[in-house]
């Protein structure tokens, strides 16, 4: 219960209506009866089974509630999820603009959905995928505000208090420098080819200033003791970017995964700017997709 897709807080913070995050096991029948809209993330394939059960429960208790799905898997198979799960709408790909538009339409009891991009719905509704995330949109995204999801926030603070992260790559807070990955890993939905197919764009980069501000916010939060760098902005982006992000030493601990072979200056930048933590790396050249190995002595040293 401490894993949440990176962009959910950003989407929630773009809505003009009250939102309350719930895990399925804490979602009461009364919650469902009172909901006008329930949106479900179907990001990884492993969540398909639970999502189907959840939608069936929602529709049994409150047939008039609108269910919206999004995420990688929903974007891959929107029609199948609508036809087989009873979901009303799927946002395909980037949702920063389409999702608030759809919520507004539903809340205002309007039914002209045809002008909302990236939308798949019942009765054959399929609008063109005209919206793709832009750098300016990503600059506006708020990734750290999880006040809308009290139980998630409580669980995160509990784990942060122990200062131990068993899943080093996915524990909040996530430091997000880009959406879509700058390297091409075969079969990965974050790779350039798959991103182009799913989202119609190349990777989008966030400014070093915005990312540095997120680090500073975490450093000043007494409930946060470590941060997760799953999106490796050290080896996948130029050194100047990393240097501009990590300008000031922090007491925070680090959970870091290198996606490519780091230079010693990358390692030194981390060890000089964080209090401690865990650094993961692989001995192949490109993030578990290459048969070209590096000498692990480099990292050991």
């Amino acid at each position: 219960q401490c894993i949440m897709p990176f962009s959910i807080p950003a989407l929630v913070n773009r809505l003009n209506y009250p939102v309350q995050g719930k895990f399925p096991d804490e979602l009461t029948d009364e919650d469902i009866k009172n909901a006008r809209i329930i949106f479900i993330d179907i990001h990884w394939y492993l969540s398909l089974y639970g999502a189907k059960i959840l939608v069936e429960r929602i529709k049994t208790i409150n047939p008039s509630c609108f269910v919206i799905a999004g995420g990688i898997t929903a974007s891959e198979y929107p029609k199948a999820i609508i036809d087989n799960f009873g979901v009303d709408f799927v946002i395909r790909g980037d949702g920063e603009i389409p999702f608030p538009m759809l919520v507004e339409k539903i809340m205002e009891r309007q039914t002209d959905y045809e002008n909302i991009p990236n939308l798949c719905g019942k009765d054959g509704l399929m609008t063109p995928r005209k919206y793709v995330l832009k750098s300016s949109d990503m600059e506006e995204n708020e990734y750290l505000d999880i006040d809308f999801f009290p139980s998630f926030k409580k669980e995160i603070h509990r784990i942060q208090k122990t200062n131990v992260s068993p899943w080093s790559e996915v524990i909040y807070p996530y430091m997000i420098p880009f959406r879509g990955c700058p390297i091409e890993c075969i079969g990965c939905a974050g790779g350039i080819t798959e991103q182009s197919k799913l989202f119609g764009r190349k990777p989008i980069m966030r400014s070093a200033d915005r990312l540095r501000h997120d680090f500073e916010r975490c450093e000043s939060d007494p409930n946060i003791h470590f941060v997760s760098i799953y999106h490796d902005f050290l080896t996948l982006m130029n050194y100047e970017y990393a240097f501009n992000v990590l300008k000031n030493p922090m007491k925070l601990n680090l959970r870091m995964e290198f996606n490519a072979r780091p230079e010693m200056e990358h390692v030194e930048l981390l060890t000089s700017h964080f209090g401690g933590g865990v650094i993961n790396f692989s001995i192949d050249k490109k993030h578990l997709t290459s048969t070209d190995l590096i000498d692990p002595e480099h990292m050991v040293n």
Side-chain angles (χ1 to χ4, degrees), residues 221-239:
D221 188 334
N223 294 301
I224 302 299
H225 303 290
F226 64 82
V227 293
S228 296
I229 301 179
Y230 181 56
H231 292 72
D232 175 9
F233 61 87
L234 284 89
T235 67
L236 301 186
M237 300 172 75
N238 64 58
Y239 182 73

Side-chain angles (χ1 to χ4, degrees), residues 46-111:
L46 56 85
S47 62
L48 277 168
Y49 180 73
K52 187 175 191 298
I53 292 174
L54 181 57
V55 175
E56 288 173 351
R57 180 186 170 209
I58 291 167
K59 289 298 186 177
T60 299
I61 295 171
N62 184 357
S64 64
C65 177
F66 288 85
V67 178
I68 304 172
I72 291 286
T73 301
S75 294
E76 286 267 24
Y77 308 107
K79 190 175 184 302
I81 286 173
I82 287 171
D83 291 345
N84 296 297
F85 283 29
V87 169
D88 296 285
F89 298 101
V90 169
I91 302 290
R92 297 177 297 143
D94 296 319
E96 274 79 352
I97 300 303
F99 181 55
M101 289 177 66
L102 177 58
V103 170
E104 181 79 18
K105 289 283 186 185
I106 294 173
M107 295 301 289
E108 295 299 320
R109 289 174 164 74
Q110 299 174 6
T111 57

Side-chain angles (χ1 to χ4, degrees), residues 2 55 61 100 113 126 293 300:
C2 41
V55 175
I61 295 171
Y113 304 117
M126 183 77 78
L293 303 184
V300 173

Side-chain angles (χ1 to χ4, degrees), residues 6-299:
F6 306 140
S7 61
I8 293 294
L11 294 179
V12 168
N13 278 281
R14 286 176 175 267
L15 300 179
N16 294 318
Y17 300 92
V19 177
Q20 186 165 33
K22 295 269 189 176
F23 292 114
D25 60 2
E26 65 174 341
L27 189 68
T28 67
D29 290 356
E30 197 65 24
D31 291 329
I32 295 173
K33 289 176 184 177
N34 292 331
R36 176 89 176 132
I37 300 170
I38 295 179
F39 62 94
I40 301 173
D41 176 82
I42 308 179
H43 191 74
W44 304 118
Y45 298 109
L46 56 85
S47 62
L48 277 168
Y49 180 73
K52 187 175 191 298
I53 292 174
L54 181 57
V55 175
E56 288 173 351
R57 180 186 170 209
I58 291 167
K59 289 298 186 177
T60 299
I61 295 171
N62 184 357
S64 64
C65 177
F66 288 85
V67 178
I68 304 172
I72 291 286
T73 301
S75 294
E76 286 267 24
Y77 308 107
K79 190 175 184 302
I81 286 173
I82 287 171
D83 291 345
N84 296 297
F85 283 29
V87 169
D88 296 285
F89 298 101
V90 169
I91 302 290
R92 297 177 297 143
D94 296 319
E96 274 79 352
I97 300 303
F99 181 55
M101 289 177 66
L102 177 58
V103 170
E104 181 79 18
K105 289 283 186 185
I106 294 173
M107 295 301 289
E108 295 299 320
R109 289 174 164 74
Q110 299 174 6
T111 57
D112 52 328
Y113 304 117
E114 290 77 13
N115 66 332
I116 301 173
N118 305 18
L119 187 63
C120 185
K122 292 181 176 179
D123 300 321
L125 175 67
M126 183 77 78
T127 66
R129 193 179 60 190
K130 291 184 177 180
Y131 172 74
V132 296
L133 183 68
K134 302 176 180 64
S135 294
S136 57
D137 294 333
M138 194 172 180
E139 286 295 282
E140 295 177 10
N141 277 350
E142 165 56 71
Y143 293 108
L144 296 182
D145 185 358
I146 55 173
D147 287 346
F148 72 95
F149 203 155
S151 52
F152 176 75
K153 186 175 182 178
K154 182 179 179 180
E155 176 69 2
I156 289 301
H157 287 176
R158 183 188 68 79
I159 293 174
Q160 285 278 346
K161 189 175 182 179
T162 66
N163 204 22
V164 174
S165 168
W167 303 286
S168 61
E169 70 271 26
V170 292
I171 295 297
Y172 174 96
Y174 319 115
M175 300 292 103
I176 304 178
F178 48 79
R179 288 270 296 277
C181 186
I183 59 174
E184 180 72 293
C185 291
I186 299 169
C188 176
I192 296 172
T193 298
E194 290 300 315
Q195 282 278 304
S196 297
K197 282 164 45 179
L198 281 170
F199 297 96
R201 58 162 171 76
K202 294 179 180 179
I204 301 295
M205 306 303 168
R206 197 162 171 233
S207 71
D209 288 344
R210 278 296 268 131
L211 187 57
R212 184 176 65 252
H213 180 60
D214 280 358
F215 275 106
E216 291 168 350
R217 286 173 62 187
C218 293
E219 172 77 352
S220 63
D221 188 334
N223 294 301
I224 302 299
H225 303 290
F226 64 82
V227 293
S228 296
I229 301 179
Y230 181 56
H231 292 72
D232 175 9
F233 61 87
L234 284 89
T235 67
L236 301 186
M237 300 172 75
N238 64 58
Y239 182 73
E240 183 180 355
Y241 181 94
F243 183 79
N244 285 333
V245 171
L246 302 177
K247 281 187 174 182
N248 303 309
M250 292 172 275
K251 296 177 183 177
L252 289 167
N253 279 355
L254 173 71
R255 299 296 186 268
M256 169 76 194
E257 178 183 345
F258 281 121
N259 293 153
R261 180 187 186 274
E263 299 301 329
M264 193 54 68
E265 61 185 3
H266 295 135
V267 181
E268 290 173 348
L269 185 62
L270 293 180
T271 57
S272 64
H273 280 74
F274 292 93
V278 176
I279 297 176
N280 300 297
F281 68 97
S282 54
I283 63 169
D284 62 16
K285 210 165 188 178
K286 194 196 287 186
H287 191 41
L288 307 179
T289 64
S290 170
T291 56
D292 188 2
L293 303 184
I294 66 170
D295 182 356
E297 185 179 358
H298 170 77
M299 281 301 294

